[in-house]
Amino acid sequence: MTSPHAVLAALSDALIGALSAADPLPIARDGRNHVMANPSMTRRQAIDWLFEGRADPPESRFRPDPLEGLADDPQRRFLFDITADEFAVARPEFRDRYLLDGPGWSLRDLLPAWLPDSTREEVVRLEGAGAFRRAALPNLRTFPGVEPWGDIVVWAGVDEFRRPTLEIFNYFPAALEFYEQLPGVGAQDARLLRYVYTSWNNDMGYFVEDRKMRPQDARDEIRRIWGEVFKGILEGAKEILLAGAGISAANKIAATVNETVTAALESFRQRRQLFSLWARQKTLTELVLFRGTTFRRILGDLAQDATHDLGRGTYFSQQKRIAQVFSQHYPTPDDPAVLVRVKATVEDLGEVLDLVNGQQSQEWSTFVAPVLKVQPRLVNEQYNNALTNFLERLGKTMNDYDTIIAPDYLNGGVQVCIKKESIVRKLLLLGDEVPL
């Protein structure tokens, strides 16, 4: 179903855009690092209006550009080279309208130092061309990395506060030689480390590029799946993602080896096929599911014939953050919000159609790819129609399954629709309520 949060956000964007035209502010954004004053005003008047006494940027970062007449004369255009702290205390209505056009002034702070110059220039060009406007998000681009590192992924989207932001990461090297040359790493450990980091690459690609998940959320999900036994390695991975290519990054990998490689080797030998998400897909049988709703709606309306994504049923998410959002849609003083967590095996779910990791997942990905090019946030009737058409090719309908597991193209992650009431009641009975 369409998220009311998403609807409200879209309406908010449209409303702010309409207000910009109907009720223009005296100072508005002009490109990536300038603002225009209408009517013209002095530098002091502009600062007083923008910050209301909460900040006073120096002339080197906020000045007439170009200068018209004398420095103290009213001006039309100003350099807007402020800091994040200064922007945070600017007038709220100015900040809201400014961010409609993307990160703008903050772009330089969001680009890591290790980013190659050619990629940096292209990201700046894309921002100037409007690729990161809120209306165009999310937007994912990949660029060639610097050998021996893999591709660079630039993800433009909105954070939990609906603010445009960029998240950038670099895939780890795939060549065994890179790991063999790390200080203090033997041949066996090098092979293990290569497996660890290339598995990380595969999992990040799966979540971010295939499932359109925010990189920050993808990292959290991978850490959850891989488990605490690899916490040290994953923290090292996080540091390298921030540090980028070069000898400093190599040293950061080596620094984690002594603390983690013994535990990793032992666990790896015992559970070789359970290490990576890609390896786990064939053997993973336990699911942790979350349902965010209200007390009276907890069972869902299994009788209605609405054209939700996966048809009628009770919907769960594998991502707690998504369920938390849904829990806030309909609460009232008499019907409070609840967040329930349940654990289930695949066997508990009856006849399952798994479009994420099951036998039909690759076929579904191929089938739905042309649809996603036109409608990347596939939802409701369009999703329902696509799934119906896909199942017709298999000689099936949604009613042939007790549970459907499928990608959530609107919110990211994975959604689970359980259609059989007895299964839902059993899971809820064995589940537990968790803090919102």
Side-chain angles (χ1 to χ4, degrees):
M1 63 181 68
T2 301
S3 162
H5 177 77
V7 172
L8 288 175
L11 290 174
S12 174
D13 289 353
L15 178 59
I16 292 173
L19 288 174
S20 298
D23 183 24
L25 298 175
I27 298 179
R29 179 175 179 173
D30 181 34
R32 196 168 66 87
N33 56 359
H34 286 83
V35 293
M36 292 290 290
N38 185 21
S40 298
M41 59 182 70
T42 66
R43 176 179 178 275
R44 174 47 53 191
Q45 289 173 332
I47 289 176
D48 289 345
W49 185 89
L50 280 169
F51 302 105
E52 301 177 297
R54 294 183 292 271
D56 190 3
E59 189 172 352
S60 61
R61 295 190 287 102
F62 190 95
R63 64 176 183 274
D65 185 29
L67 178 64
E68 297 181 351
L70 300 177
D72 292 335
D73 290 344
Q75 307 288 329
R76 291 186 301 171
R77 190 170 186 260
F78 296 88
L79 174 69
F80 190 68
D81 189 20
I82 66 172
T83 66
D85 290 339
E86 290 164 346
F87 186 81
V89 297
R91 279 180 178 263
E93 63 268 33
F94 171 81
R95 294 200 313 266
D96 288 342
R97 297 192 193 180
Y98 189 99
L99 289 175
L100 278 177
D101 289 331
W105 64 273
S106 62
L107 188 63
R108 65 176 182 275
D109 298 324
L110 298 172
L111 299 182
W114 55 263
L115 203 64
D117 290 342
S118 59
T119 303
R120 182 183 302 273
E121 292 171 3
E122 179 61 13
V123 171
V124 171
R125 186 195 69 79
L126 288 169
E127 197 279 334
F132 304 147
R133 287 178 58 87
R134 188 179 297 178
L137 301 180
N139 191 336
L140 184 145
R141 305 293 178 100
T142 59
F143 302 90
V146 177
E147 292 290 343
W149 295 79
D151 286 347
I152 297 166
V153 177
V154 177
W155 180 91
V158 292
D159 63 15
E160 57 270 28
F161 302 107
R162 293 292 298 164
R163 297 173 303 199
T165 188
L166 289 179
E167 294 185 20
I168 302 174
F169 66 91
N170 201 172
Y171 286 121
F172 291 111
L176 179 61
E177 292 76 14
F178 174 84
Y179 302 95
E180 290 175 334
Q181 294 171 7
L182 295 176
V185 176
Q188 184 178 13
D189 293 347
R191 288 193 294 272
L192 171 63
L193 287 173
R194 177 180 179 273
Y195 185 86
V196 169
Y197 289 112
T198 54
S199 294
W200 176 271
N201 289 346
N202 289 336
D203 292 353
M204 285 295 288
Y206 172 78
F207 281 124
V208 177
E209 298 194 50
D210 294 348
R211 300 303 176 194
K212 312 304 180 186
M213 186 181 290
R214 179 183 176 187
Q216 176 179 310
D217 294 335
R219 293 189 189 100
D220 291 342
E221 184 70 0
I222 293 170
R223 289 188 181 96
R224 183 189 68 79
I225 292 173
W226 283 23
E228 286 298 317
V229 71
F230 299 107
K231 183 176 180 181
I233 288 180
L234 297 178
E235 289 305 314
K238 178 181 178 182
E239 290 187 9
I240 297 165
L241 291 171
L242 297 175
I247 187 64
S248 61
N251 288 338
K252 287 179 183 295
I253 296 181
T256 67
V257 170
N258 290 336
E259 299 178 3
T260 61
V261 75
T262 301
L265 277 169
E266 181 62 27
S267 181
F268 176 68
R269 290 173 182 138
Q270 293 178 3
R271 298 189 298 160
R272 179 180 298 267
Q273 294 304 318
L274 300 180
F275 187 81
S276 163
L277 171 64
W278 288 91
R280 286 167 62 100
Q281 285 178 355
K282 295 181 180 179
T283 57
L284 185 62
T285 59
E286 184 177 84
L287 302 173
V288 178
L289 306 176
F290 297 90
R291 177 162 171 78
T293 182
T294 67
F295 181 78
R296 294 175 184 169
R297 294 170 177 260
I298 195 163
L299 185 61
D301 190 349
L302 295 162
Q304 68 177 353
D305 191 20
T307 53
H308 299 318
D309 293 0
L310 312 177
R312 60 182 176 86
T314 300
Y315 281 74
F316 294 80
S317 175
Q318 287 190 341
Q319 284 67 45
K320 181 180 178 181
R321 62 176 179 84
I322 295 175
Q324 287 173 318
V325 171
F326 275 92
S327 71
Q328 301 304 312
H329 285 176
Y330 305 109
T332 66
D334 298 328
D335 190 16
V338 293
L339 179 63
V340 177
R341 176 182 58 199
V342 301
K343 293 183 180 180
T345 65
V346 174
E347 290 75 16
D348 293 331
L349 302 179
E351 184 68 23
V352 176
L353 171 64
D354 187 349
L355 298 178
V356 177
N357 299 317
Q359 294 181 350
Q360 286 83 25
S361 59
Q362 186 57 52
E363 189 176 353
W364 165 252
S365 296
T366 302
F367 176 85
V368 80
V371 181
L372 293 176
K373 288 183 178 179
V374 179
Q375 185 68 35
R377 293 189 173 188
L378 193 62
V379 67
N380 282 343
E381 187 174 358
Q382 290 84 358
Y383 198 139
N384 192 286
N385 289 339
L387 181 55
T388 298
N389 293 335
F390 174 75
L391 291 176
E392 284 181 356
R393 298 174 52 176
L394 304 179
K396 298 280 188 177
T397 71
M398 291 187 218
N399 294 329
D400 291 323
Y401 301 97
D402 299 319
T403 300
I404 299 179
I405 304 173
D408 183 341
Y409 298 111
L410 178 64
N411 303 292
V414 175
Q415 58 182 329
V416 178
C417 175
I418 302 177
K419 300 175 175 294
K420 196 170 183 178
E421 183 173 342
S422 60
I423 295 176
V424 178
R425 290 188 180 277
K426 177 183 176 181
L427 293 180
L428 293 176
L429 183 64
L430 298 177
D432 58 310
E433 185 174 353
V434 295
L436 289 167

